[in-house]
Amino acid sequence: MVVAFALVAGGAIVGFALHREAEQSVKGVAATQARWVERLATEGPVPRILPAVDSARLTLVEVLDGQGRTLAASEQIIDSPDDERHRGSRSDDREFGRLDEGRRNHLKLRGGPWFTESAPAVLDGKPVLVVTFTSLAEYERAIESVGRLLALAFPVLLLLVAGSTWLLVGRSLRPVERIRHEVELITAGSLNTRVDEPKTNDEIGRLAITLNDMLERLQTSVARQRRFVADASHELRTPVTNIAAALDVAQRYPDRTDWPEVGADVAAQNQRMAALIEDLLLSAKMEDQATKSPPELLELASIVAREVEGLGAVAPTIMVADESGGAQVLGDERRMGRVVRNLVANAARHAESRVKITISQTDDEVELRVADDGPGIALEARERIFQPFVRLDQHRARSLGGTGLGLAIVADLVSEMGGTVGVVPNEPHDIGGAVFVVHLPAAPR
């Protein structure tokens, strides 16, 4: 349809341009013939039948007086019948020298169409109007030939374009249809399936690569989600089972049960379950962009001081050294507080007696260093501990009260702020146990 419209519009433009060119080529004839008539008048009386005009195209001349009467004209005009001459209005009050549209086309002569022009002249000291009629028959025949040629060529060209477009587009979209069919067969249970990637480096090939990358991300996300649900179910089952077992034993032997001890055990399991649920909710919200607040300017030392104070008297000795001179970062205050709280709480659980927190800053980076004097972390486990529900045996056991999500939440929150977190080897100023280091982009001063 677009090509058809373009062809029709192009044909119309070509026809219009040819007509304009024909008219432009014969313009100015009236002025020339007016001078010719004036020269005839100098040689004697102007004959009523003017001699043939010497011109490349058939040109007729008519000389009118001030009242619109014909004084002289070419033979074809004189011989034309009155019923073919259709002269326009001849009112005497009409301005001399102007021709209305009816006057400009007042003759129906053979050999047309005609292009009409007028120019003023002077005969015997009186103003007259010289009207010329130039035949455009030659141009008209050429334009008609072009029109017939276009009328024959346009349908053929349109059919060729339509057929070529149908074949080429169909051939180009065949791989897309094949990819669509392959993707349609992929279900939640077959996310490991991949579409065939064409060897061509074009849009279809890049589409297949993008779809495979998307399927890879979906498979990873679904596997992680399933593993997370399984681990969460297992973690929640443990306190529920402990509570059920304690109550079952207490109900069977009510006289020999220490009910305050049972209550304390149930409360502890309930508190552990509440902490686990809170961490699960936070981990689930981590990917929700709608829950993220706009970043604000945060002073890291004040957040550390607040979180250390919130640990209360159960914490070991905590030393805070601010070597940054008031380092600031951009982020969400609650999430930054959660990072500090999880790291300090984790260090406090595993420390023998001391936890050391150090804040420092370089030109474009802020470092938060949390060290404890506990047993430390083996080299091969330093990457694994940031995965959900991963606990190390012995000193990092469930009995210490952790949910197994704290460090995973720290890793996600720090990554969200554009930073990194890891376990690093001890340095001389550390206190001998595990050392967690967070690097964050420094806020502009």
Side-chain angles (χ1 to χ4, degrees):
M1 291 177 64
V2 172
V3 172
F5 177 80
L7 290 176
V8 172
I13 292 172
V14 169
F16 177 76
L18 289 175
H19 278 98
R20 286 295 301 272
E21 181 65 25
E23 292 182 359
Q24 292 295 328
S25 67
V26 298
K27 271 188 177 180
V29 173
T32 303
Q33 299 307 317
R35 305 291 80 79
W36 173 69
V37 170
E38 289 178 342
R39 286 196 300 271
L40 282 178
T42 60
E43 298 172 357
V46 176
R48 180 168 177 77
I49 298 177
L50 295 173
V53 177
D54 184 13
S55 175
R57 296 171 184 84
L58 177 59
T59 303
L60 306 180
V61 180
E62 185 178 20
V63 182
L64 305 176
D65 63 10
Q67 285 72 41
R69 295 189 296 267
T70 301
L71 299 178
S74 297
E75 184 178 2
Q76 292 92 323
I77 296 176
I78 295 296
D79 292 342
S80 62
D82 289 340
D83 59 352
E84 292 184 0
R85 296 181 63 163
H86 296 289
R87 300 188 182 276
S89 171
R90 294 189 179 185
S91 60
D92 294 337
D93 59 350
R94 184 182 61 188
E95 180 182 352
F96 178 73
R98 292 183 57 188
L99 294 177
D100 57 16
E101 290 300 320
R103 181 64 177 167
R104 289 173 64 87
N105 300 282
H106 72 288
L107 292 176
K108 291 185 177 179
L109 301 170
R110 291 186 296 275
W114 303 89
F115 179 76
T116 306
E117 271 190 314
S118 63
V122 177
L123 295 182
D124 299 330
K126 296 180 181 180
V128 296
L129 191 67
V130 176
V131 183
T132 61
F133 306 89
T134 305
S135 175
L136 298 178
E138 176 185 349
Y139 291 107
E140 193 68 18
R141 287 192 294 271
I143 293 173
E144 289 177 358
S145 299
V146 172
R148 285 193 295 269
L149 179 62
L150 292 178
L152 292 174
F154 278 7
V156 176
L157 183 59
L158 187 61
L159 288 175
L160 288 175
V161 171
S164 301
T165 303
W166 183 272
L167 293 176
L168 292 175
V169 172
R171 181 177 179 181
S172 300
L173 293 181
R174 199 172 299 127
V176 177
E177 176 61 21
R178 176 176 50 79
I179 292 174
R180 187 203 64 79
H181 179 68
E182 292 175 356
V183 173
E184 188 179 29
L185 298 177
I186 297 175
T187 63
S190 60
L191 288 177
N192 59 334
T193 306
R194 299 292 180 267
V195 300
D196 293 333
E197 297 180 2
K199 302 303 181 182
T200 55
N201 184 23
D202 55 9
E203 289 80 359
I204 306 300
R206 290 192 290 273
L207 173 63
I209 293 172
T210 302
L211 283 174
N212 284 337
D213 291 342
M214 181 191 70
L215 290 171
E216 183 71 28
R217 293 193 298 271
L218 281 175
Q219 184 182 7
T220 302
S221 177
V222 169
R224 181 179 178 183
Q225 194 175 54
R226 288 173 177 170
R227 184 172 61 251
F228 183 86
V229 171
D231 291 341
S233 301
H234 175 72
E235 294 295 327
L236 287 171
R237 189 182 297 116
T238 300
V240 171
T241 302
N242 290 343
I243 292 173
L247 292 177
D248 183 60
V249 172
Q251 288 175 344
R252 290 190 180 192
Y253 307 100
D255 298 334
R256 291 181 288 173
T257 298
D258 186 349
W259 287 103
E261 182 180 352
V262 172
D265 186 22
V266 170
Q269 296 294 337
N270 182 70
Q271 184 178 5
R272 179 178 165 218
M273 202 160 33
L276 179 60
I277 290 172
E278 182 182 357
D279 284 349
L280 286 172
L281 288 174
L282 179 60
S283 182
K285 289 180 180 179
M286 206 74 70
E287 300 299 327
D288 187 3
Q289 297 290 334
T291 63
K292 297 178 182 178
S293 303
E296 53 186 330
L297 204 59
L298 308 175
E299 188 173 350
L300 192 53
S302 63
I303 294 177
V304 170
R306 187 185 64 213
E307 296 300 332
V308 169
E309 183 180 357
L311 288 176
V314 296
T317 301
I318 300 178
M319 301 174 291
V320 179
D322 184 5
E323 302 173 356
S324 65
Q328 293 181 322
V329 296
L330 289 173
D332 180 87
E333 186 175 2
R334 292 179 302 170
R335 297 192 174 203
M336 188 69 239
R338 189 58 182 262
V339 170
V340 175
R341 188 189 321 153
N342 285 8
L343 287 176
V344 177
N346 178 75
R349 278 197 304 270
H350 304 105
E352 296 291 340
S353 59
R354 290 184 301 161
V355 173
K356 184 178 179 182
I357 304 172
T358 307
I359 305 171
S360 60
Q361 181 177 359
T362 60
D363 292 338
D364 57 355
E365 194 172 66
V366 175
E367 180 183 281
L368 174 66
R369 195 178 189 92
V370 180
D372 63 64
D373 61 351
I377 301 173
L379 183 62
E380 64 274 8
R382 289 179 180 177
E383 294 291 335
R384 195 163 54 91
I385 60 172
F386 292 102
Q387 298 175 8
F389 300 111
V390 171
R391 294 187 181 87
L392 305 183
D393 53 0
Q394 293 181 338
H395 301 286
R396 307 269 166 174
R398 181 182 288 111
S399 58
L400 292 174
T403 63
L405 286 171
L407 294 180
I409 290 173
V410 167
D412 287 341
L413 290 175
V414 170
S415 176
E416 182 184 293
M417 295 174 65
T420 60
V421 61
V423 181
V424 300
N426 280 271
E427 294 185 2
H429 59 272
D430 293 322
I431 53 179
V435 181
F436 289 83
V437 175
V438 176
H439 291 108
L440 294 171
R445 291 189 179 276

Tab-separated table of all heavy atoms in Angstrom, residues 84-119:
chain	number	residue	atom	x	y	z
A	84	GLU	N	-18.103	28.985	-31.816
A	84	GLU	CA	-16.939	28.375	-31.218
A	84	GLU	C	-16.049	29.402	-30.542
A	84	GLU	O	-15.033	29.054	-29.966
A	84	GLU	CB	-16.122	27.619	-32.280
A	84	GLU	CG	-16.818	26.398	-32.840
A	84	GLU	CD	-15.908	25.654	-33.801
A	84	GLU	OE1	-14.779	26.120	-33.999
A	84	GLU	OE2	-16.345	24.632	-34.333
A	85	ARG	N	-16.413	30.688	-30.615
A	85	ARG	CA	-15.455	31.691	-30.162
A	85	ARG	C	-15.675	32.082	-28.708
A	85	ARG	O	-14.757	32.579	-28.080
A	85	ARG	CB	-15.536	32.909	-31.068
A	85	ARG	CG	-15.113	32.528	-32.484
A	85	ARG	CD	-15.140	33.673	-33.429
A	85	ARG	NE	-14.180	34.700	-33.016
A	85	ARG	CZ	-13.763	35.662	-33.825
A	85	ARG	NH1	-14.209	35.740	-35.050
A	85	ARG	NH2	-12.916	36.561	-33.397
A	86	HIS	N	-16.833	31.902	-28.151
A	86	HIS	CA	-17.075	32.032	-26.707
A	86	HIS	C	-16.298	33.189	-26.111
A	86	HIS	O	-15.496	33.016	-25.207
A	86	HIS	CB	-16.686	30.725	-25.969
A	86	HIS	CG	-17.525	29.580	-26.378
A	86	HIS	ND1	-18.858	29.449	-26.023
A	86	HIS	CD2	-17.227	28.494	-27.132
A	86	HIS	CE1	-19.345	28.344	-26.534
A	86	HIS	NE2	-18.379	27.745	-27.223
A	87	ARG	N	-16.488	34.366	-26.587
A	87	ARG	CA	-15.761	35.493	-26.021
A	87	ARG	C	-16.343	35.823	-24.649
A	87	ARG	O	-17.517	35.643	-24.384
A	87	ARG	CB	-15.846	36.695	-26.954
A	87	ARG	CG	-15.250	36.427	-28.330
A	87	ARG	CD	-15.180	37.706	-29.148
A	87	ARG	NE	-14.658	37.415	-30.485
A	87	ARG	CZ	-13.380	37.339	-30.772
A	87	ARG	NH1	-12.488	37.531	-29.819
A	87	ARG	NH2	-12.972	37.075	-32.002
A	88	GLY	N	-15.488	36.366	-23.805
A	88	GLY	CA	-15.929	36.717	-22.463
A	88	GLY	C	-16.717	38.016	-22.481
A	88	GLY	O	-17.043	38.589	-23.518
A	89	SER	N	-17.013	38.523	-21.301
A	89	SER	CA	-17.761	39.776	-21.171
A	89	SER	C	-16.983	40.924	-21.812
A	89	SER	O	-15.761	40.988	-21.727
A	89	SER	CB	-18.000	40.076	-19.681
A	89	SER	OG	-18.535	41.358	-19.540
A	90	ARG	N	-17.711	41.828	-22.474
A	90	ARG	CA	-17.079	42.968	-23.138
A	90	ARG	C	-17.571	44.288	-22.548
A	90	ARG	O	-17.721	45.269	-23.243
A	90	ARG	CB	-17.375	42.943	-24.627
A	90	ARG	CG	-16.756	41.762	-25.347
A	90	ARG	CD	-16.915	41.925	-26.839
A	90	ARG	NE	-16.298	40.818	-27.557
A	90	ARG	CZ	-16.204	40.765	-28.878
A	90	ARG	NH1	-16.666	41.755	-29.609
A	90	ARG	NH2	-15.636	39.732	-29.477
A	91	SER	N	-17.860	44.334	-21.284
A	91	SER	CA	-18.348	45.583	-20.670
A	91	SER	C	-17.306	46.672	-20.824
A	91	SER	O	-16.118	46.439	-20.646
A	91	SER	CB	-18.669	45.363	-19.195
A	91	SER	OG	-17.516	44.935	-18.514
A	92	ASP	N	-17.810	47.889	-21.199
A	92	ASP	CA	-16.890	48.993	-21.494
A	92	ASP	C	-16.157	49.492	-20.257
A	92	ASP	O	-15.118	50.132	-20.375
A	92	ASP	CB	-17.659	50.150	-22.145
A	92	ASP	CG	-18.188	49.766	-23.520
A	92	ASP	OD1	-17.605	48.837	-24.119
A	92	ASP	OD2	-19.158	50.387	-23.949
A	93	ASP	N	-16.730	49.288	-19.051
A	93	ASP	CA	-16.069	49.791	-17.849
A	93	ASP	C	-14.985	48.839	-17.352
A	93	ASP	O	-14.367	49.079	-16.322
A	93	ASP	CB	-17.106	50.030	-16.737
A	93	ASP	CG	-17.864	48.763	-16.386
A	93	ASP	OD1	-17.719	47.762	-17.115
A	93	ASP	OD2	-18.604	48.791	-15.381
A	94	ARG	N	-14.731	47.727	-18.076
A	94	ARG	CA	-13.663	46.792	-17.680
A	94	ARG	C	-12.313	47.437	-17.949
A	94	ARG	O	-12.126	48.101	-18.967
A	94	ARG	CB	-13.795	45.488	-18.472
A	94	ARG	CG	-12.787	44.418	-18.051
A	94	ARG	CD	-12.966	43.185	-18.911
A	94	ARG	NE	-12.716	43.531	-20.310
A	94	ARG	CZ	-12.940	42.702	-21.316
A	94	ARG	NH1	-13.454	41.520	-21.095
A	94	ARG	NH2	-12.682	43.062	-22.547
A	95	GLU	N	-11.367	47.240	-17.019
A	95	GLU	CA	-10.026	47.830	-17.168
A	95	GLU	C	-9.365	47.248	-18.412
A	95	GLU	O	-9.281	46.024	-18.569
A	95	GLU	CB	-9.171	47.540	-15.931
A	95	GLU	CG	-7.768	48.128	-16.030
A	95	GLU	CD	-6.943	47.765	-14.813
A	95	GLU	OE1	-7.512	47.211	-13.861
A	95	GLU	OE2	-5.735	48.024	-14.840
A	96	PHE	N	-8.872	48.142	-19.265
A	96	PHE	CA	-8.269	47.691	-20.511
A	96	PHE	C	-6.960	46.944	-20.234
A	96	PHE	O	-6.162	47.353	-19.400
A	96	PHE	CB	-7.989	48.901	-21.412
A	96	PHE	CG	-7.327	48.525	-22.698
A	96	PHE	CD1	-8.039	47.892	-23.688
A	96	PHE	CD2	-5.976	48.781	-22.898
A	96	PHE	CE1	-7.439	47.546	-24.882
A	96	PHE	CE2	-5.365	48.430	-24.080
A	96	PHE	CZ	-6.094	47.808	-25.090
A	97	GLY	N	-6.723	45.885	-20.954
A	97	GLY	CA	-5.464	45.154	-20.831
A	97	GLY	C	-5.540	43.960	-19.886
A	97	GLY	O	-4.562	43.250	-19.731
A	98	ARG	N	-6.687	43.743	-19.205
A	98	ARG	CA	-6.799	42.592	-18.326
A	98	ARG	C	-7.726	41.575	-18.966
A	98	ARG	O	-8.753	41.920	-19.534
A	98	ARG	CB	-7.363	43.000	-16.964
A	98	ARG	CG	-6.400	43.871	-16.155
A	98	ARG	CD	-6.984	44.186	-14.804
A	98	ARG	NE	-7.308	42.954	-14.093
A	98	ARG	CZ	-7.991	42.944	-12.931
A	98	ARG	NH1	-8.407	44.066	-12.405
A	98	ARG	NH2	-8.240	41.805	-12.338
A	99	LEU	N	-7.366	40.308	-18.855
A	99	LEU	CA	-8.198	39.222	-19.390
A	99	LEU	C	-8.666	38.346	-18.240
A	99	LEU	O	-7.849	37.881	-17.440
A	99	LEU	CB	-7.399	38.371	-20.385
A	99	LEU	CG	-6.971	39.064	-21.685
A	99	LEU	CD1	-6.137	38.111	-22.515
A	99	LEU	CD2	-8.158	39.540	-22.464
A	100	ASP	N	-9.957	38.134	-18.137
A	100	ASP	CA	-10.431	37.174	-17.140
A	100	ASP	C	-10.246	35.757	-17.693
A	100	ASP	O	-9.818	35.560	-18.836
A	100	ASP	CB	-11.890	37.450	-16.769
A	100	ASP	CG	-12.821	37.414	-17.981
A	100	ASP	OD1	-12.383	36.877	-19.013
A	100	ASP	OD2	-13.948	37.922	-17.885
A	101	GLU	N	-10.550	34.768	-16.837
A	101	GLU	CA	-10.311	33.385	-17.247
A	101	GLU	C	-11.138	33.028	-18.478
A	101	GLU	O	-10.694	32.288	-19.345
A	101	GLU	CB	-10.612	32.424	-16.091
A	101	GLU	CG	-9.617	32.498	-14.940
A	101	GLU	CD	-8.218	32.164	-15.401
A	101	GLU	OE1	-8.060	31.238	-16.222
A	101	GLU	OE2	-7.277	32.845	-14.963
A	102	GLY	N	-12.353	33.553	-18.539
A	102	GLY	CA	-13.170	33.263	-19.715
A	102	GLY	C	-12.556	33.833	-20.968
A	102	GLY	O	-12.558	33.204	-22.036
A	103	ARG	N	-11.967	35.027	-20.885
A	103	ARG	CA	-11.330	35.645	-22.044
A	103	ARG	C	-10.083	34.899	-22.453
A	103	ARG	O	-9.792	34.751	-23.645
A	103	ARG	CB	-10.994	37.090	-21.704
A	103	ARG	CG	-10.350	37.864	-22.839
A	103	ARG	CD	-11.286	38.008	-24.012
A	103	ARG	NE	-10.711	38.800	-25.092
A	103	ARG	CZ	-11.211	38.875	-26.296
A	103	ARG	NH1	-12.325	38.211	-26.587
A	103	ARG	NH2	-10.637	39.612	-27.227
A	104	ARG	N	-9.315	34.439	-21.444
A	104	ARG	CA	-8.058	33.753	-21.740
A	104	ARG	C	-8.299	32.429	-22.460
A	104	ARG	O	-7.388	31.886	-23.085
A	104	ARG	CB	-7.270	33.501	-20.454
A	104	ARG	CG	-6.689	34.773	-19.849
A	104	ARG	CD	-6.076	34.486	-18.487
A	104	ARG	NE	-4.940	33.565	-18.610
A	104	ARG	CZ	-3.691	33.964	-18.860
A	104	ARG	NH1	-3.429	35.244	-19.016
A	104	ARG	NH2	-2.713	33.092	-18.940
A	105	ASN	N	-9.493	31.869	-22.327
A	105	ASN	CA	-9.778	30.579	-22.972
A	105	ASN	C	-11.002	30.696	-23.886
A	105	ASN	O	-11.840	29.802	-23.964
A	105	ASN	CB	-10.031	29.519	-21.899
A	105	ASN	CG	-8.847	29.313	-20.983
A	105	ASN	OD1	-7.887	28.661	-21.353
A	105	ASN	ND2	-8.911	29.900	-19.782
A	106	HIS	N	-11.121	31.865	-24.564
A	106	HIS	CA	-12.362	32.133	-25.284
A	106	HIS	C	-12.437	31.454	-26.630
A	106	HIS	O	-13.463	31.525	-27.286
A	106	HIS	CB	-12.536	33.651	-25.460
A	106	HIS	CG	-11.584	34.244	-26.469
A	106	HIS	ND1	-10.251	34.378	-26.219
A	106	HIS	CD2	-11.799	34.727	-27.726
A	106	HIS	CE1	-9.660	34.945	-27.271
A	106	HIS	NE2	-10.575	35.165	-28.202
A	107	LEU	N	-11.399	30.844	-27.125
A	107	LEU	CA	-11.433	30.205	-28.433
A	107	LEU	C	-11.379	28.699	-28.320
A	107	LEU	O	-10.665	28.161	-27.478
A	107	LEU	CB	-10.257	30.692	-29.280
A	107	LEU	CG	-10.304	32.173	-29.714
A	107	LEU	CD1	-9.038	32.517	-30.453
A	107	LEU	CD2	-11.522	32.445	-30.569
A	108	LYS	N	-12.163	28.044	-29.163
A	108	LYS	CA	-12.085	26.591	-29.264
A	108	LYS	C	-11.541	26.286	-30.652
A	108	LYS	O	-12.285	26.154	-31.627
A	108	LYS	CB	-13.460	25.957	-29.075
A	108	LYS	CG	-13.975	26.077	-27.659
A	108	LYS	CD	-15.278	25.318	-27.496
A	108	LYS	CE	-15.775	25.373	-26.078
A	108	LYS	NZ	-17.045	24.657	-25.890
A	109	LEU	N	-10.243	26.186	-30.762
A	109	LEU	CA	-9.583	25.984	-32.046
A	109	LEU	C	-8.921	24.626	-32.095
A	109	LEU	O	-8.500	24.089	-31.071
A	109	LEU	CB	-8.524	27.084	-32.256
A	109	LEU	CG	-9.058	28.522	-32.248
A	109	LEU	CD1	-7.895	29.488	-32.226
A	109	LEU	CD2	-9.939	28.764	-33.456
A	110	ARG	N	-8.839	24.091	-33.306
A	110	ARG	CA	-8.129	22.823	-33.471
A	110	ARG	C	-6.625	23.040	-33.279
A	110	ARG	O	-6.098	24.104	-33.610
A	110	ARG	CB	-8.398	22.247	-34.869
A	110	ARG	CG	-9.832	21.775	-35.068
A	110	ARG	CD	-9.986	21.087	-36.416
A	110	ARG	NE	-9.738	22.027	-37.507
A	110	ARG	CZ	-10.639	22.842	-38.024
A	110	ARG	NH1	-11.876	22.853	-37.537
A	110	ARG	NH2	-10.348	23.644	-39.022
A	111	GLY	N	-5.966	22.004	-32.787
A	111	GLY	CA	-4.528	22.085	-32.582
A	111	GLY	C	-4.127	22.389	-31.152
A	111	GLY	O	-2.949	22.568	-30.859
A	112	GLY	N	-5.143	22.488	-30.252
A	112	GLY	CA	-4.845	22.796	-28.847
A	112	GLY	C	-4.419	21.553	-28.083
A	112	GLY	O	-4.146	20.502	-28.682
A	113	PRO	N	-4.295	21.661	-26.801
A	113	PRO	CA	-4.652	22.823	-25.980
A	113	PRO	C	-3.732	24.016	-26.240
A	113	PRO	O	-2.627	23.863	-26.742
A	113	PRO	CB	-4.512	22.300	-24.549
A	113	PRO	CG	-3.477	21.237	-24.657
A	113	PRO	CD	-3.691	20.574	-25.983
A	114	TRP	N	-4.247	25.210	-25.888
A	114	TRP	CA	-3.547	26.444	-26.154
A	114	TRP	C	-3.131	27.124	-24.862
A	114	TRP	O	-3.847	27.092	-23.864
A	114	TRP	CB	-4.454	27.414	-26.948
A	114	TRP	CG	-4.935	26.825	-28.237
A	114	TRP	CD1	-6.049	26.076	-28.454
A	114	TRP	CD2	-4.278	26.947	-29.492
A	114	TRP	NE1	-6.161	25.705	-29.762
A	114	TRP	CE2	-5.076	26.235	-30.445
A	114	TRP	CE3	-3.118	27.571	-29.950
A	114	TRP	CZ2	-4.739	26.141	-31.785
A	114	TRP	CZ3	-2.801	27.495	-31.286
A	114	TRP	CH2	-3.597	26.783	-32.192
A	115	PHE	N	-1.987	27.764	-24.939
A	115	PHE	CA	-1.520	28.582	-23.813
A	115	PHE	C	-1.709	30.042	-24.205
A	115	PHE	O	-1.180	30.494	-25.232
A	115	PHE	CB	-0.047	28.300	-23.493
A	115	PHE	CG	0.485	29.132	-22.363
A	115	PHE	CD1	0.165	28.827	-21.044
A	115	PHE	CD2	1.293	30.233	-22.609
A	115	PHE	CE1	0.644	29.590	-20.000
A	115	PHE	CE2	1.780	31.001	-21.572
A	115	PHE	CZ	1.456	30.690	-20.254
A	116	THR	N	-2.509	30.791	-23.414
A	116	THR	CA	-2.896	32.157	-23.762
A	116	THR	C	-2.098	33.156	-22.944
A	116	THR	O	-1.958	33.011	-21.732
A	116	THR	CB	-4.389	32.368	-23.505
A	116	THR	OG1	-5.122	31.364	-24.184
A	116	THR	CG2	-4.830	33.737	-23.989
A	117	GLU	N	-1.611	34.164	-23.656
A	117	GLU	CA	-0.914	35.279	-23.007
A	117	GLU	C	-1.357	36.577	-23.650
A	117	GLU	O	-1.870	36.583	-24.780
A	117	GLU	CB	0.606	35.148	-23.194
A	117	GLU	CG	1.317	34.355	-22.122
A	117	GLU	CD	2.819	34.493	-22.277
A	117	GLU	OE1	3.334	34.371	-23.407
A	117	GLU	OE2	3.483	34.727	-21.256
A	118	SER	N	-1.159	37.687	-22.965
A	118	SER	CA	-1.481	39.001	-23.544
A	118	SER	C	-0.384	39.995	-23.190
A	118	SER	O	0.280	39.852	-22.156
A	118	SER	CB	-2.836	39.503	-23.028
A	118	SER	OG	-2.784	39.686	-21.625
A	119	ALA	N	-0.213	40.969	-24.058
A	119	ALA	CA	0.774	42.029	-23.837
A	119	ALA	C	0.268	43.304	-24.490
A	119	ALA	O	-0.358	43.274	-25.566
A	119	ALA	CB	2.139	41.624	-24.395
